[in-house]
Amino acid sequence: MIQNILEEKLKPKAYSSDIPSRWCPGCGDFGVTNALARAFSTNQLDQERTVIVSGIGCSSRLPLWMGPYGFHTLHGRALPVAAGMKIAHPELDILVTMGDGDCFSIGGNHYPPVMRRNMDLTAIVMDNHTYGLTKNQCSPTSQVGYPGTLSPVGNVDEPMNVLGLAVANGATFVAQSFSGKPKHVMQMIEAGMKHRGFSFINVLSPCVTFNKLETFEYWKGRMEEVPEDHDTSDKIAAWKLSEQGMQGDALPMGILYQATRPTYEDQVAMVKEKMGSVPADQVDMEAIFDSIKPGAK
Amino acid sequence: MIQNILEEKLKPKAYSSDIPSRWCPGCGDFGVTNALARAFSTNQLDQERTVIVSGIGCSSRLPLWMGPYGFHTLHGRALPVAAGMKIAHPELDILVTMGDGDCFSIGGNHYPPVMRRNMDLTAIVMDNHTYGLTKNQCSPTSQVGYPGTLSPVGNVDEPMNVLGLAVANGATFVAQSFSGKPKHVMQMIEAGMKHRGFSFINVLSPCVTFNKLETFEYWKGRMEEVPEDHDTSDKIAAWKLSEQGMQGDALPMGILYQATRPTYEDQVAMVKEKMGSVPADQVDMEAIFDSIKPGAK
Amino acid sequence: MAIDITIRIAGEGGEGVISSGDFLMQSAASAGFEVMTFKSFPAEIKGGYALSQVRFSDDKILSQGDGFDIVVCFNEEAYQINKRLLTPGKVLVYDGPDEFEIEAHEGVACYAIPMSHIAKQELKAYISKNMVAMGAVCELFGFPVDSLRRSIHDKFIKKSQAIVDQNYAALEAGAAHVRDHYGKDPTYTFPEAREAKDVIIVEGNQAIALGAMAAGCRYLGAYPITPATSVAIAASKIFPKADGYVYQAEDEIAGVASTVGASFAGTKAMTCTSGPGIDLKSEMIGLAAMAEIPLVVADIQRGGPSTGMPTKHEQSDLFMCAHAVHGDTPRAVLAASNVEDCFYRTIDAFNLAEKYQMPVFLLSDAALSLQVEAIPRPDLSKIEIIDRLRYQSNGSEERYQRYQLTDSGISPMSHPGDPGGTYCATGLQHQENSAPRTSVEACITMDDKRWRKIKNIEDDIECTSQGPEKAKVGIISWGLTQNAVREAMARMLAEGMEVAALYPKLLYPVPTKAVEAFAARCDKLLLPEANYQGQFAQLIRAATGIDCIRQNIYRGEPFIPAEIVARVKELGA
Amino acid sequence: MAIDITIRIAGEGGEGVISSGDFLMQSAASAGFEVMTFKSFPAEIKGGYALSQVRFSDDKILSQGDGFDIVVCFNEEAYQINKRLLTPGKVLVYDGPDEFEIEAHEGVACYAIPMSHIAKQELKAYISKNMVAMGAVCELFGFPVDSLRRSIHDKFIKKSQAIVDQNYAALEAGAAHVRDHYGKDPTYTFPEAREAKDVIIVEGNQAIALGAMAAGCRYLGAYPITPATSVAIAASKIFPKADGYVYQAEDEIAGVASTVGASFAGTKAMTCTSGPGIDLKSEMIGLAAMAEIPLVVADIQRGGPSTGMPTKHEQSDLFMCAHAVHGDTPRAVLAASNVEDCFYRTIDAFNLAEKYQMPVFLLSDAALSLQVEAIPRPDLSKIEIIDRLRYQSNGSEERYQRYQLTDSGISPMSHPGDPGGTYCATGLQHQENSAPRTSVEACITMDDKRWRKIKNIEDDIECTSQGPEKAKVGIISWGLTQNAVREAMARMLAEGMEVAALYPKLLYPVPTKAVEAFAARCDKLLLPEANYQGQFAQLIRAATGIDCIRQNIYRGEPFIPAEIVARVKELGA
Ligand SMILES: Cc1ncc(C[n+]2csc(CCOP(=O)(O)OP(=O)(O)O)c2C)c(N)n1
Ligand SMILES: Cc1ncc(C[n+]2csc(CCOP(=O)(O)OP(=O)(O)O)c2C)c(N)n1
Ligand code: SF4
Ligand code: SF4
Ligand SMILES: [Mg+2]
Ligand SMILES: [Mg+2]
């Protein structure tokens, strides 16, 4: 019986909540959800010590359907919510799942600092090159000409090179995947979760309802595994690979960049140590009061 | 008499307002102000068709002391205010003057889109590697260890590579200067204003009151003119130069990157043309009503 | 014979519920009827219960009514949700008899139309299920099928003639089923089409964009958010025709910031959003107030708090619009109650913003945003448009005083490009020439100036009332709730009840004189509003001391006339 | 002899005005006196008129008083600004006789001390000008120079003994000048130093950080902004000593977002900011209300609107704190009136936030943020600390209901790491198990639940009053204004006037019972507050219908007791 329960825990299904998912049939985000559940299952993740934080968007509904603790926050604000959570509770495993509008448009002020600070978070963007939940406006990753509802003659903006910017902003793990290849997505998530420091995984994830151009088919033919000889420790090489992807017909799939440097949590621990930290409940308030008595130095 | 007035207009002094400036004596921002006035003067700028937009900070007080139209907006919001102004009034020359906290921290969601969209604005950051007006907190450009008042054991964050990020975000003119070399600042501003598209000029500008490390002296010894043979059309070369500057002892001075692509105003004009635009006051509202009559197609 | 029929179509989102309603509405309007729609669906893109309701009438339609006369249920969930409303005299049309079973409903005519079956088996196109249902409806109630066919043609001909034909076939299959099994329904019959009136068919949010255009607005900066996006979409289709532009900004802050920038430079400009967006925009709205820059902010309210219920009706952003933004920040708040109002109140909003050089909120809501009505074609020659007071240099050397202290508090404004008009706008406390200043005198004179401007703002916007000079109960309402009140009033006055109603358009500053005068007419005051806290009731009490009896609903749906009538009766009118 | 002396130091910012006041305060507190400071300076870093004032007394000091007894003017501007206050009995010490000329002031003892000259010429260190002035002050009024020397030593010894000696020399030079030219001033004399009381010397914002620490707060996420930054600075010096952290975020939104994240995960957490920051944070504050996450938000108010006057006093953020955030968003607002209050009200704020799992605002302001007082050392054993109600799994397989409907409306909360406690918090309308839901029933029950929680919140926070059971005038005040009222009350009661005062700490929800009971005691009610709109007066009227006579100032400075007394007298008490 106990054996059964344990075995049950190992299956991906055990990592779902009992809230039924509500995406359009065929939505690319299902692939990501399944990959996530499989990654959890493979690692026998303790879902009670794991939090999935998201913003607002179709994709950001993900934590509602998943078994771990979750926080479906506000549009664009998943990363800073996760940052505070991680600083205060470094013992938690925290994943952050976002949409492209969520992370790169309204949330665009929040990924650079967590990347630069190398917070130990795993961020997954379900990038469908559109705003799904608000019914099809251009996102920063939409192609030129994309028929967003607020672009009467089609998108006029160059799309954003999100992989290159992640490298430039200091993320220490930068990868791309495609929800049409759930096994690859799973591998990237596993690698990202294993990585100490900020992991950024951009998953191309078709919006079957609105994005009639970039379908599963379309992307399938355009994904290209990162070459074997690519040096993942070389920022410039990673940047070049990302720029090449912007041409549209050789979208890199795999790890573009990976590096090691102290995490923000390491820094926080160092600050506390330097300041002589004691456990939270053992603080000596009287000593603090003594230090501000009249005549105290 | 008229002759006198004209000649007067040519002098930099004519580009000041009658509001007395209120920076600490010796503040680096004076150098930027003077360079700006000289650039205006050299180009005999029509200050009645020019707007200087700023955020909030010591540096952002600049438009208050200058002669053109000005808008001292909110902390971090100078660029989107300027963007709307430029879209609605492409005939205006618009400069945007900001501080490092203003542009790169709270304003960090606003420079990527205007760079990517290549709006024809000239942005000048007075980068003192600290928050002057709020009395010395770390900014995204502060050095590791910098004694910001909210960093009890000194700054723990890697500083941001603002030049590299400007290139990565799609600015079509990226330069750096130093307020200890006002003539160079003036040259960069002139070149930036002449450039069609988004110009980003980072000016290292000492905060003599709080930043006791990065003084005029300190920076003077560390600035290095961009090499003659540097190819300003090469993004990767620009990126490398910027990374090299992050080592701290060869801060590039000059134009790192320059490119030509359509400005956002060009795109807006194209959209209007495609939609059969007429002048604002000649619109045929009746035709619009006709199009939504019952049975209209 | 005068008709007044409401058809509700209910089913799963994505099955053509909404488009069916739209076709019915379009064709009825073409056939010369008055129309008004009501729609409700979940925030998710697909699935979930969706409802589209169309009311048709010969006379002006005041509200969505109390419910429906005819309900068309596309699936069992729709039936389960609506069955309790099937009182005698109503008609049920449903996907039967095989898809699901229905209970016995006394006095209710029930028509089983195998919509799914016909679509799947006969037409081999499940997607045309809704057209089968519409065909049945036309046949049952004599709905003008020609105009329905015309609407369908116009919509689908862009795709292909084949698709048009497929839809025609589905219509015909539904009609045939009725002919074969039932014949005409005896209770409800549409009269012949008559000549179309001189109306335009407009959706709530579209009316805001049209009103803005008519007011001279040529810039809209916004970030998408339900249920406000469609204001921007409508504007994006018309502004660029007149040298204007709609800018999709990176976030709400940039949306409003760019709007303030455009207005500073001389272009009438607006932003639109819903509650969460106002939260984010509020700092910039305060800057517009301080720097005295005209700004129109349309807030299409949704269910709160927080992300709340993005597609649901609620009137709970009034407190925020009246009191958000730190400091003593002058502003005005207007609310639209129906589609026509969306047009005219938007113009009012621009007029107030321009006249007083300050931010003005225009409130609408999720239900009104989608409401479609055939409204009289606006007579542009009768609409007053106010522009900001402009500075004219007299050529002297005197420095321009942007914030000149005047009796009205209004100071002439210059735009970049104006000779002699240079100044630097700022959100810091300042003196007349715009230089920052925090002296005691500067604070007092400038605060006084900014508030002096709107001392008499109440006089700018008419506040209408209805009913006898003396009433037992007086109803004060705002926004969409006014529609339910209007219809309730029509019924109650017809019954001879002593009841009156006040219909404020300007909500804040509270129209104190109008409220006090109205209160003097009534023994009791009732204030129905769709929020928890009684927000307008509290603002009225704060401003006048008058305490209204409150009727608050917070269920994600608008008021219906019947509940207003019931409450007024309880109060003894 | 009991003393009560106020010394004002005025001059150009950057000339040591503020530090002189701090030294006087520190040394007076060490010498066993009660002390309270008041400071005011421009937002610019250097230059502009600055003022630092210290009140010394044997007894508890209630407010900053009506003005000064002794003014030390470092330059002519300072003299020009203060000269109209030089009424008979006051003392002027100034940088004379050569730097600038003074007018004749009847009954005012004027001492010309050539501070600049001595500093420049004798000491060759212009920077020690303020110490010359302090030396003169000590000598003139018998101020305990030993304790001043000690304070100077402790501050500067970190730099070098030479700097200490330079300051000593300046002190002595100033004293010598007085000895040579004037001797002791006859009007004001400090008594001997006595034993120091069991006090701590705390600045307003520092007290908030200490209160947070005592309440168990271990996380503060914020973005710098005047005048709130010093809360975060004080916290950054103590939180990390107890495994806590202060996070300087990239902007205000991230500051509060990270705080909500930390609190969700189980750490008591706060953010601090000033008005513009609340504007930006408001959306996230709404999320905390909807997702029911405890959150404390300290708002250190400054002069508004917009960027306004960052370093000036105003009480104009109350409307915002009560009503900002779209939707019907429950929250509470507390205000601190003095330094001790900053400590205890912060603890109250955490207790309410934790008890009700919702956002709680704590209001302070620019003047109070800088106010330094010697306050009784808090007795931690007497302070009640409330923690959130925690979920305890009973090990069964039942799914945890995060938003369980309870009688109190409060639902047990789990933290990541708690077995059996997984759920997904959301800002969408939801049902008990936290799944999003927009049914009519979900809306109603959940809105009711969230508001039910705080139905009796008034009972949690005592609302004190003062004065006779029946009074001609009752004064209701809040925040820093309460200090001026307390001192005014002491004077008026001493005069035998029939006046009472109510001192609410909880401002919103309005403590209706306390206000109504107080109103019943008083013939007239007066509500002085430092804002234009009469914000608390309006909230009280909205909640109770009671209309207070309003006394509003909006000049960037706090009330002084005399103007309250004058107004009460006008009202006939
Ligand atoms: C503050 C705020 N602004 C706007 C919205 C409306 N909104 C919800 S989701 C969304 C964008 C969705 O796009 P994306 O992030 O790419 O997610 P997707 O739906 O495509 O997965 C927007 C604009 C919101 N909920 N809150
Ligand atoms: C919304 C908001 N947040 C914070 C502030 C406070 N503030 C004013 S200036 C400033 C930073 C100044 O640093 P920087 O932009 O580098 O300009 P500098 O003063 O160094 O020139 C801050 C945090 C503000 N005015 N508004
Ligand atoms: S709208 Fe697009 S992104 Fe959203 S659920 Fe449907 S397919 Fe997925
Ligand atoms: S504080 Fe620094 S940046 Fe600000 S005016 Fe002074 S020197 Fe310049
Ligand atoms: Mg998307
Ligand atoms: Mg700076």
Side-chain angles (χ1 to χ4, degrees), chain D residues 391-421:
Chain D
Y391 170 71
Q392 281 281 0
S393 169
N394 60 10
S396 82
E397 285 288 288
E398 256 170 46
R399 195 196 200 284
Y400 167 50
Q401 307 282 311
R402 169 62 185 101
Y403 302 107
Q404 193 194 335
L405 294 171
T406 59
D407 287 346
S408 65
I410 298 166
S411 320
M413 180 171 176
S414 70
H415 295 157
D418 287 351

Side-chain angles (χ1 to χ4, degrees), chain B residues 58-59 99-102 126-133 139 141 205 207:
Chain B
C58 290
S59 40
D100 43 334
D102 198 53
M126 285 158 263
D127 185 1
N128 54 14
H129 294 192
T130 186
Y131 283 11
L133 191 58
S139 97
T141 55
S205 177
C207 169

Side-chain angles (χ1 to χ4, degrees), chain A residues 22 24-25 56 58 61 73-75 77 101 105-106 131-135 137-139 149-152 156 209-210, chain C residues 41-49 223-226 229 232-233 236-237 240 245-246 248-252 280 306-307:
Chain A
R22 291 282 295 272
C24 305
I56 296 289
C58 290
R61 295 280 173 114
T73 68
L74 294 178
H75 192 37
R77 314 306 171 193
S105 190
I106 191 170
Y131 283 12
L133 191 58
T134 47
K135 304 192 176 175
Q137 292 79 39
C138 293
S139 96
T149 59
L150 283 172
S151 310
V156 299
T209 298
F210 294 118
Chain C
F41 42 77
E44 290 79 16
I45 298 303
K46 288 228 169 115
Y49 174 69
Y223 186 74
I225 187 167
T226 306
T229 315
I233 295 176
S236 76
K237 290 181 181 152
Y245 197 67
V246 171
Q248 181 185 328
E250 58 272 25
D251 59 21
E252 279 86 355
L280 292 167
S306 196
T307 309

Side-chain angles (χ1 to χ4, degrees), chain A residues 59 99-102 126-132 139:
Chain A
S59 41
D100 44 332
D102 198 54
M126 284 157 262
D127 185 2
N128 55 13
H129 293 192
T130 186
Y131 283 12
S139 96

